[in-house]
Amino acid sequence: MDFDQLSKKYRNIKSPAEQLSDATKDAGKANNIFEKIKKHDTYSKKQSKQFYIITSIAAVVYVLIFIVNPDPDLTLKNRLAGSAFILASVILAFLFKIKHKRISNTMYLSSTKKFLEEAQKRFRFWNRNQLWLIPVVLLVDVASLGSISKYFDFLSQTSSVILSQFLYFGLLAFGFFMGKKSWTKKKKPILLKIEKMLAAFDEQ
């Protein structure tokens, strides 16, 4: 090894003070990520509890209006639409309850790696638990189809259904776009840092 190679090699070796400084910076970054995760979890836990209460109350109200209600003006179509709303509300209430319980359980995780793995699942834009949203979307679509299409009675039945579907799924697409935009801004940066920290665990 010539002098230039030897010089280059030892220039890359950091002093103990520099190594300690780097370790302190890394620890500070890790603590910052954990604080962000905990802050988000606190907000999500509170929000999921609120939505669980709201959707549970909505399910009870729909049962009273569309099932228990003896009003003879309520047609079979109205009751079926109400039943779809009830099922959608029950599924949503179940999902929010599961989410609240999962976040609460993360507080008792003693393993840092396990904590990060659970956070990684929650910070992803899409996960398997969200597949339950598909029947919710379809149930709400079926339930709202009649109530929306009646406002287009100046059109033929086929045109009315097509227009109402266009409006419904158009709103869903807009909501999806806004949700993805919010996730990209708020959660994706944290997710990338979580994945980087998990990769460091795997390298050890």
Side-chain angles (χ1 to χ4, degrees):
M1 180 182 294
D2 59 27
F3 177 79
D4 289 338
Q5 291 176 325
L6 190 64
S7 177
K8 182 177 180 181
K9 176 183 177 180
Y10 284 100
R11 276 201 306 267
N12 293 330
I13 298 178
K14 296 182 179 180
S15 68
E18 290 175 323
Q19 293 177 8
L20 180 61
S21 177
D22 288 346
T24 302
K25 289 179 181 178
D26 290 340
K29 289 179 181 178
N31 288 332
N32 187 38
I33 293 300
F34 287 131
E35 287 301 319
K36 287 182 178 180
I37 293 173
K38 290 177 181 178
K39 183 178 180 180
H40 180 271
D41 283 348
T42 300
Y43 172 77
S44 294
K45 183 180 177 182
K46 181 179 179 181
Q47 189 181 53
S48 59
K49 183 177 181 180
Q50 291 174 340
F51 281 120
Y52 166 70
I53 294 172
I54 292 171
T55 50
S56 297
I57 293 174
V60 173
V61 171
Y62 285 135
V63 168
L64 294 176
I65 294 176
F66 294 103
I67 306 300
V68 178
N69 190 354
D71 189 347
D73 291 333
L74 279 175
T75 64
L76 178 60
K77 183 179 179 181
N78 295 143
R79 295 185 186 277
L80 289 175
S83 298
F85 275 127
I86 293 168
L87 284 175
S89 298
V90 169
I91 292 173
L92 285 174
F94 173 76
L95 291 177
F96 286 124
K97 184 176 182 180
I98 292 297
K99 182 178 180 181
H100 182 270
K101 184 177 180 180
R102 183 178 292 112
I103 295 173
S104 298
N105 289 340
T106 60
M107 297 178 179
Y108 302 99
L109 294 174
S110 58
S111 168
T112 302
K113 184 178 180 181
K114 186 65 177 176
F115 176 83
L116 290 172
E117 287 174 343
E118 290 298 318
Q120 182 185 37
K121 295 176 184 178
R122 297 194 304 276
F123 276 76
R124 284 173 178 161
F125 182 70
W126 182 261
N127 58 62
R128 287 183 298 176
N129 293 327
Q130 290 170 304
L131 289 174
W132 282 99
L133 293 177
I134 295 176
V136 171
V137 168
L138 296 177
L139 285 168
V140 173
D141 182 34
V142 170
S144 60
L145 186 59
S147 58
I148 295 176
S149 58
K150 69 180 182 180
Y151 293 105
F152 308 113
D153 53 1
F154 55 89
L155 300 173
S156 65
Q157 184 174 0
T158 302
S159 298
S160 176
V161 170
I162 291 174
L163 182 57
S164 61
Q165 292 295 282
F166 176 79
L167 291 173
Y168 178 71
F169 285 100
L171 288 173
L172 283 179
F174 178 74
F176 179 87
F177 171 77
M178 295 303 294
K180 183 68 178 292
K181 185 177 180 180
S182 176
W183 173 84
T184 301
K185 181 180 179 181
K186 297 179 180 179
K187 291 186 179 182
K188 188 177 180 180
I190 300 176
L191 176 63
L192 293 176
K193 291 177 181 178
I194 291 172
E195 292 176 343
K196 186 177 180 180
M197 294 174 72
L198 285 173
F201 273 103
D202 294 335
E203 291 173 358
Q204 293 177 356

